[in-house]
Amino acid sequence: MLRVAVLASGRGSNLAALLDASKAPSAGFKVVGVYSDRADAGALDLARQAGIDAAHVNRKDHSDRISFDEALFERALQSQPDLIVCAGYMRVISAAALGLLSVPIINIHPSLLPRYPGLDTHARALAAGDAEHGVSVHVITPELDGGPLIAQARIPITPDDSPESLAARVLKLEHCLLPACVTLFSSGRLQLGHTHIKLNGERLSAPLQLHDAQLLLSEPT
Ligand code: GRF
């Protein structure tokens, strides 16, 4: 059973999706801990309600970003995870701290990377007049939102979309894509590297699309 630790800064809707998905017999993973840089993160409440290890690590208790990142990882690693998932975690993680991690760490980002790394992705996609938008799950490397892409899900942008309506539709995709990626990883068929991803030993030439990931999950492992 794959042990998953989650880093979150906010309400935790992606965490909730993971918790729901983990109940499926075929899921192959369980969330063993939730850790946040925000004491008021709804994600911590969700974890406590689920009886899962939950902790706030206060940035103010640490002199600099690297020692804070290391303290957060140290606390997360106490739950002995096989995978760390940043799900609505809003801080940039320092390269030094990433270099100390012995388990893979992935992130979900609300854009079709490499388009729109960083913030305000929905407004930027609208402003650019893009025909489509979506979400990416990727390995975290020191480059912000720049690690190898595992999977993506996409939707058309409609003429009457606002950043809010687009965000709401993308969020629904996130709640499907992230659990699909974690379940696929728990099946042992995904190898997560810092430069590329392998599926069944073959290097991915492009990120899996949501329907691919769901199709793969329907195949016998
Ligand atoms: C989501 O859009 C996620 O992609 C981004 O943070 C937002 C909030 O996530 N990283 P959640 O509802 O706290 O899971």
Side-chain angles (χ1 to χ4, degrees):
M1 179 69 75
L2 189 85
R3 297 170 62 85
V4 177
V6 174
L7 304 187
S9 302
R11 68 199 151 183
S13 73
N14 276 288
L15 168 65
L18 283 174
L19 290 171
D20 288 347
S22 69
K23 292 172 187 147
S26 59
F29 72 92
K30 63 179 178 179
V31 178
V32 292
V34 178
Y35 309 97
S36 182
D37 57 321
R38 300 280 306 267
D40 61 349
L44 291 179
D45 297 333
L46 282 176
R48 294 179 183 122
Q49 286 156 18
I52 293 170
D53 184 32
H56 164 232
V57 178
N58 191 339
R59 172 65 182 83
K60 293 188 175 71
D61 294 345
H62 301 276
S63 54
D64 58 44
R65 194 157 67 91
I66 292 175
S67 55
F68 166 75
D69 288 345
E70 288 172 350
L72 182 67
F73 282 157
E74 188 182 327
R75 182 62 184 83
L77 291 172
Q78 286 177 17
S79 59
Q80 297 176 314
D82 305 304
L83 175 70
I84 298 178
V85 176
C86 289
Y89 182 66
M90 302 312 277
R91 284 182 188 269
V92 177
I93 301 171
S94 58
L98 286 170
L100 297 175
L101 267 190
S102 54
V103 294
I105 180 167
I106 65 173
N107 181 46
I108 184 162
H109 178 77
S111 81
L112 294 172
L113 292 170
R115 277 182 276 172
Y116 315 124
L119 300 173
D120 302 325
T121 63
H122 314 300
R124 290 158 65 192
L126 280 168
D130 290 354
E132 60 176 9
H133 188 40
V135 55
S136 303
V137 175
H138 65 95
V139 172
I140 294 182
T141 62
E143 185 193 350
L144 175 66
D145 297 329
L149 294 172
I150 301 166
Q152 293 187 320
R154 56 195 63 223
I155 45 170
I157 292 180
T158 63
D160 56 355
D161 258 320
S162 65
E164 294 71 26
S165 66
L166 201 48
R169 293 198 289 127
V170 167
L171 195 60
K172 287 193 173 66
L173 283 182
E174 296 178 36
H175 296 164
C176 298
L177 189 67
L178 185 57
C181 289
V182 174
T183 301
L184 196 55
F185 184 65
S186 72
S187 74
R189 296 159 66 196
L190 267 185
Q191 288 81 40
L192 305 179
H194 286 165
T195 55
H196 60 274
I197 308 295
K198 285 187 178 177
L199 175 69
N200 302 329
E202 296 289 318
R203 180 172 178 152
L204 280 186
S205 56
L208 294 170
Q209 297 305 309
L210 182 57
H211 58 270
D212 295 331
Q214 288 171 329
L215 191 65
L216 284 165
L217 290 174
S218 62
E219 286 174 6
T221 47

